Amino acid sequence: MKDYNYSRLAKYYDILENVESIESFNPVLLKILRKHNVKSILDMTCGTGVQAGFLHKKGLKVKASDYNAQMIKIARSKFKKVDFRKGDIRTSKYGKFDAVISIFNAIGHLSRKDFEKAIRNIGKNLNDKGLYIFDIFCYDYMKKNFIKHEFIDFAKEVNDTKFVRFNNNKMDKKKKILTMNQKIYVQKGLDKPMIFKESWDLQIYSSKELKRILEKNGSQVVEFLDMSGKKYKPNSSLILTIARKK
Ligand SMILES: C[S@@+](CC[C@H](N)C(=O)[O-])C[C@H]1O[C@@H](n2cnc3c(N)ncnc32)[C@H](O)[C@@H]1O
């Protein structure tokens, strides 16, 4: 499995991943958590803290962790009152929470075997009947809507720096793996641009497969939603899964 190098790009993460659009999911998440009366949260792939920081401000008890030290450093600098730790969703234990979250396709970075390991470990961090909430690229959507040609998926100017990202992706339909090949240009004024080349694999799942894997590893699906919180239909690229510890 190829790893995405968050370290090199951590300081640009909020720009390149368009943090405003990630933030737009926060009210949906909060509504789901309130509906299930969740009071304590563990975010196990917190990145730069987009969900953890928001939920803390909304009065939930929040702890957050991430595998990548650079991402954690940025999260800490943005949200000084949140307890951020460096940790691994497959193995770290922090106590018992009403819900564990892993948002913005983070789980796609794990191999299928490691995803199962993560579900079992998440169970150890949950109270009885605790919730596990995550989103992931949906195979049913991807097999019909996959873009085969190279395309520019992001272009933005911030102060005097331009950011442009090219994507040239491949999909292995049999293995259900999306290989993202990206070229990222970061150019201050008319200086020589910094060019980052990234290539990494993302696992993609059908809802049927998610249900089977969760059940096999001590969890059961409560519902599948889209990112606006409506019942999932395969016209959405991401499938938001609400699962409960059995
Ligand atoms: C796409 S980012 C999402 C971050 C954040 N949730 C957001 O919405 O911006 C995926 C994050 O998962 C983290 N990650 C990948 N593998 C991990 C693992 N095994 N344990 C914990 N975090 C991991 C990466 O370091 C990265 O910060």
Side-chain angles (χ1 to χ4, degrees):
M1 174 181 174
K2 293 176 208 156
D3 270 332
Y4 181 59
N5 187 350
Y6 281 99
S7 300
R8 284 199 308 157
L9 289 165
K11 67 177 170 179
Y12 303 127
Y13 178 87
D14 283 359
I15 295 172
L16 288 168
E17 298 305 334
N18 202 2
V19 74
E20 294 83 8
S21 88
I22 307 179
E23 281 167 349
S24 69
F25 172 66
N26 283 343
V28 177
L29 178 61
L30 184 63
K31 200 168 161 196
I32 294 167
L33 296 172
R34 287 200 170 139
K35 178 178 148 193
H36 291 278
N37 203 22
V38 168
K39 305 269 187 260
S40 59
I41 279 280
L42 174 62
D43 181 350
M44 295 196 86
T45 55
C46 67
T48 60
V50 183
Q51 294 83 30
F54 170 81
L55 296 173
H56 178 262
K57 281 185 189 153
K58 291 291 172 188
L60 279 94
K61 191 173 159 236
V62 176
K63 196 183 276 281
S65 63
D66 196 281
Y67 195 57
N68 186 286
Q70 294 305 318
M71 298 292 264
I72 286 291
K73 202 171 154 194
I74 291 168
R76 281 188 184 131
S77 71
K78 283 168 67 184
F79 305 104
K80 302 219 162 32
K81 291 186 180 155
V82 180
D83 182 2
F84 289 105
R85 308 281 177 94
K86 185 178 175 322
D88 190 326
I89 192 167
R90 295 166 293 185
T91 52
S92 296
K93 289 170 192 63
Y94 297 105
K96 300 280 184 193
F97 298 81
D98 295 338
V100 168
I101 60 169
S102 174
I103 303 299
F104 198 32
N105 205 24
I107 217 73
H109 290 296
L110 304 179
S111 68
R112 281 173 149 70
K113 201 165 157 234
D114 279 349
F115 180 34
E116 294 198 33
K117 195 172 172 191
I119 298 167
R120 294 194 296 275
N121 186 51
I122 285 161
K124 292 179 187 152
N125 284 282
L126 282 172
N127 287 322
D128 284 350
K129 312 264 181 225
L131 292 184
Y132 172 36
I133 301 175
F134 66 98
D135 64 311
I136 183 88
F137 275 147
C138 185
Y139 177 69
D140 305 317
Y141 173 90
M142 283 296 169
K143 71 178 175 198
K144 289 194 188 123
N145 298 285
F146 178 71
I147 302 169
K148 290 189 181 132
H149 53 263
E150 183 170 36
F151 60 99
I152 297 171
D153 90 317
F154 183 84
K156 191 173 185 176
E157 187 160 358
V158 180
N159 302 324
D160 65 343
T161 303
K162 297 181 202 79
F163 297 83
V164 181
R165 182 171 60 204
F166 297 85
N167 264 24
N168 192 359
N169 303 334
K170 300 273 171 287
M171 185 161 88
D172 185 328
K173 287 193 184 174
K174 234 185 190 163
K175 291 189 181 152
K176 299 202 187 83
I177 293 176
L178 180 67
T179 302
M180 287 205 150
N181 299 304
Q182 298 190 323
K183 234 183 309 165
I184 299 156
Y185 285 67
V186 179
Q187 182 182 293
K188 195 172 158 46
L190 289 175
D191 289 357
K192 192 171 174 205
M194 288 184 284
I195 303 172
F196 301 91
K197 287 188 183 157
E198 296 286 344
S199 174
W200 82 101
D201 292 337
L202 286 174
Q203 311 287 320
I204 44 183
Y205 295 88
S206 66
S207 53
K208 216 167 141 189
E209 193 183 2
L210 286 175
K211 191 166 178 297
R212 185 183 57 73
I213 293 175
L214 285 158
E215 279 179 5
K216 185 179 160 206
N217 292 284
S219 188
Q220 69 189 43
V221 174
V222 176
E223 53 186 342
F224 288 125
L225 303 173
D226 66 19
M227 296 307 276
S228 69
K230 296 201 184 88
K231 196 172 157 36
Y232 180 78
K233 293 195 191 89
N235 57 355
S236 158
S237 58
L238 288 165
I239 183 164
L240 177 66
T241 303
I242 320 294
R244 190 182 294 288
K245 180 175 163 179
K246 278 199 273 194

